[in-house]
Amino acid sequence: MASSQEEKGPGTRPRLRSAPHLGLPGLHGNEAGSEASASGREMKLKRFLLRYYPPGIILEYVQGGEVKTKSIDLLDLNATTDVGALVEDIRKSEPLITASRKEQVVHLILRLQEKLGQPVDHKFHLFKVLRAHILPLTNVAFNKSGSCFITGSYDRTCKLWDTASGEELRSLEGHRNVVYAIAFNNPYGDKIATGSFDKTCKLWSVDTGKCYYTFRGHTAEIVCLSFNLQSTLIATGSMDTTAKLWDIQSGEEVVRLTGHSAEIIALSFNTTGDRVITGSFDHTVAVWDVDTGRRLHTLIGHRAEISSAQFNWDCTLIITGSMDKTCMQWNALSGKRVATLSGHDDEVLDVCFDYAGQRIATASADGTARVYDAETKKCIAKLEGHGGEISKICFNPQGSRILTASSDKTARLWDPQTGQCIQILEGHNDEIFSCAFNYKGNIIITGSKDNTCRIWR
């Protein structure tokens, strides 16, 4: 894994990650500093890039003729952080940031601080209803900017839509059964992966709709998939109890992950791309080394099927949700259980971290959602009001709102601090099973069993 240093700053811990193989995940537009000519340890700083969510600065530098990047994660940055002291802390551990660059870094962090301090009182309105497919939808997903999104369906297609106009841009056809799992290769957004009950995964071009590859090898339905952030690999999880890693460039299977004794229904890469987790109906989650395919840890503790599993941003924690009504928190490095977050009266159907990895949200079949502090493990808020099970939950990128999708035909927006319901998104005629924010947090998409998806802005 990439080397990392940690220093305790005044209220903020800058986490430095040297990541030559790490793309530039989560960069906001082309927010770049001026060309810089600082040097240190034979490294030459080219420019800074600003990442708003989660807050951080990316350093682009040249070493040995090769352009590399490293990120300084500022996950604890808030309105009261002493920026001057923070920059001094960063300078102590980052040779690329020389005295001549100090003012520029202060300016960048002040911009981040200003962005984080902006109030969120956005009221969402229904913008478009899309009767997307003849047969039921399975999933919806945004590209990073939210300029377009995709829908998967029982009609065996995946459709690409323009968010601003609600127009269908193209239909990706070729699967011989239900298109169940879909994803963009965010943050790049130039490729789409589709996983199908026909046991194959296909990789498509967003620009042309051309199918680059059909990945064959699973012996049962593919029900989950994910790109790594570096956009070099796709992971597929199947009802055949295995997961596979595929190379995007060559189209080859590079690793087969075997060891589960039941279906794999959840998988997720960490942000650095060197680990992947798989959640299974065998009640366990496995942590795998991406390069070797070796199983590093088996997370044992749940007493029923896994529903959801995720890494936090800095790759130190894993959360898992289960049909046993609990969410568990694990140390990603040791594989040891850190906490059991209980309180739900029915199955936990979805779990997620906020972008900074400081809070955890859980959604349950009991019709409620809960927010926990990842550090103290305490329940901060209970989100009560839905009249049916909640199958999907997510934070907005700013971490100031939670979105839930329910079988009561509504999606709701909540304040994660107070648990107060801010807004009810009504209009669907059947269960809502999918919901998502775009990167700016100002557009929402909901997908329902009524065969429509709705754009809210």
Side-chain angles (χ1 to χ4, degrees):
M1 184 166 157
S3 66
S4 70
Q5 294 166 277
E6 234 179 67
E7 283 218 16
K8 190 109 174 129
T12 304
R13 296 191 304 279
R15 297 182 180 91
L16 275 76
R17 295 196 290 177
S18 158
H21 63 293
L22 183 65
L24 297 177
L27 292 190
H28 187 81
N30 297 310
E31 304 286 350
S34 60
E35 291 293 312
S37 58
S39 63
R41 294 181 195 163
E42 295 165 23
M43 297 186 290
K44 184 174 176 180
L45 182 64
K46 276 188 73 185
R47 60 176 179 162
F48 297 106
L49 296 123
L50 210 49
R51 188 188 64 215
Y52 286 135
Y53 314 119
I57 296 171
I58 313 282
L59 311 180
E60 202 174 89
Y61 65 100
V62 178
Q63 189 175 33
E66 196 184 337
V67 177
K68 299 179 179 182
T69 61
K70 60 168 84 172
S71 66
I72 300 171
D73 294 340
L74 304 168
L75 304 184
D76 303 318
L77 185 69
N78 59 47
T80 62
T81 302
D82 179 337
V83 174
L86 172 60
V87 172
E88 279 308 316
D89 257 13
I90 294 170
R91 279 193 56 212
K92 284 176 197 163
S93 49
E94 181 43 70
L96 278 169
I97 298 176
T98 55
S100 64
R101 290 286 136 215
K102 182 181 168 182
E103 284 313 306
Q104 195 178 357
V105 176
V106 167
H107 173 69
L108 289 172
I109 295 178
L110 286 171
R111 276 175 63 189
L112 283 176
Q113 206 174 30
E114 183 188 4
K115 188 82 174 173
L116 292 171
Q118 284 173 358
V120 178
D121 48 8
H122 189 84
K123 194 90 173 146
F124 287 88
H125 300 279
L126 178 63
F127 171 64
K128 278 267 190 319
V129 180
L130 305 178
R131 306 201 180 280
H133 295 264
I134 350 156
L135 293 174
L137 291 163
T138 53
N139 252 311
V140 298
F142 270 119
N143 68 346
K144 196 192 118 197
S145 69
S147 62
C148 57
F149 65 93
I150 45 178
T151 53
S153 170
Y154 276 80
D155 70 9
R156 307 181 175 190
T157 71
C158 171
K159 292 189 176 182
L160 176 68
W161 305 84
D162 179 72
T163 310
S165 64
E167 310 251 313
E168 181 184 320
L169 296 174
R170 56 183 49 90
S171 182
L172 308 177
E173 296 172 17
H175 281 295
R176 297 184 173 180
N177 209 325
V178 176
V179 173
Y180 193 75
I182 56 176
F184 279 99
N185 65 329
N186 291 338
Y188 305 97
D190 61 336
K191 296 181 184 71
I192 292 165
T194 53
S196 170
F197 286 2
D198 69 9
K199 309 173 194 172
T200 73
C201 170
K202 290 178 184 282
L203 180 68
W204 311 81
S205 162
V206 168
D207 292 337
T208 65
K210 174 185 167 217
C211 178
Y212 292 119
Y213 295 113
T214 299
F215 302 125
R216 291 186 173 86
H218 282 295
T219 56
E221 296 90 337
I222 292 173
V223 291
C224 50
L225 60 77
S226 179
F227 284 94
N228 63 350
L229 264 184
Q230 295 70 34
S231 196
T232 55
L233 296 172
I234 296 172
T236 52
S238 168
M239 302 297 268
D240 67 11
T241 77
T242 73
K244 293 174 184 287
L245 304 183
W246 310 86
D247 184 289
I248 287 175
Q249 288 308 114
S250 68
E252 298 296 314
E253 177 185 321
V254 283
V255 172
R256 183 166 173 256
L257 309 176
T258 59
H260 282 295
S261 59
E263 298 89 335
I264 292 174
I265 52 89
L267 54 75
S268 178
F269 281 98
N270 65 356
T271 48
T272 46
D274 60 346
R275 301 281 181 269
V276 68
I277 48 177
T278 52
S280 168
F281 278 176
D282 68 10
H283 307 185
T284 73
V285 171
V287 183
W288 310 85
D289 180 284
V290 167
D291 289 336
T292 63
R294 201 163 63 86
R295 180 155 38 166
L296 301 173
H297 306 292
T298 304
L299 311 184
I300 299 172
H302 282 296
R303 295 191 304 278
E305 293 91 336
I306 303 297
S307 59
S308 184
Q310 233 192 35
F311 279 98
N312 66 343
W313 177 266
D314 71 5
C315 315
T316 56
L317 293 173
I318 293 166
I319 44 165
T320 55
S322 166
M323 302 300 182
D324 68 7
K325 309 179 188 176
T326 71
C327 167
M328 291 185 181
Q329 195 178 336
W330 311 78
N331 180 312
L333 305 174
S334 68
K336 296 274 187 291
R337 182 168 32 167
V338 178
T340 300
L341 309 178
S342 51
H344 284 295
D345 300 325
D346 207 337
E347 299 167 345
V348 172
L349 301 177
D350 197 23
V351 295
C352 67
F353 280 105
D354 65 4
Y355 258 54
Q358 293 164 343
R359 287 166 302 170
I360 294 162
T362 58
S364 171
D366 67 12
T368 73
R370 286 173 176 250
V371 187
Y372 298 86
D373 184 300
E375 200 166 354
T376 66
K377 331 287 190 282
K378 296 270 187 294
C379 180
I380 309 166
K382 289 181 197 171
L383 316 184
E384 295 171 323
H386 275 298
E389 68 175 34
I390 303 172
S391 59
K392 197 86 186 133
I393 191 161
C394 58
F395 282 89
N396 66 349
Q398 297 86 342
S400 56
R401 291 287 178 267
I402 283 176
L403 177 63
T404 52
S406 170
S407 62
D408 70 4
K409 308 176 189 174
T410 73
R412 291 181 182 232
L413 279 159
W414 311 82
D415 181 326
Q417 295 306 112
T418 63
Q420 184 191 350
C421 179
I422 306 289
Q423 195 180 349
I424 302 174
L425 305 180
E426 293 177 291
H428 280 294
N429 302 317
D430 205 340
E431 176 178 332
I432 302 176
F433 56 81
S434 196
C435 59
F437 282 102
N438 66 334
Y439 180 70
K440 280 186 179 168
N442 61 356
I443 306 174
I444 287 170
I445 184 168
T446 52
S448 165
K449 282 193 174 167
D450 66 10
N451 286 13
T452 71
C453 50
R454 289 175 176 242
I455 305 169
W456 312 78
R457 19 187 337 178

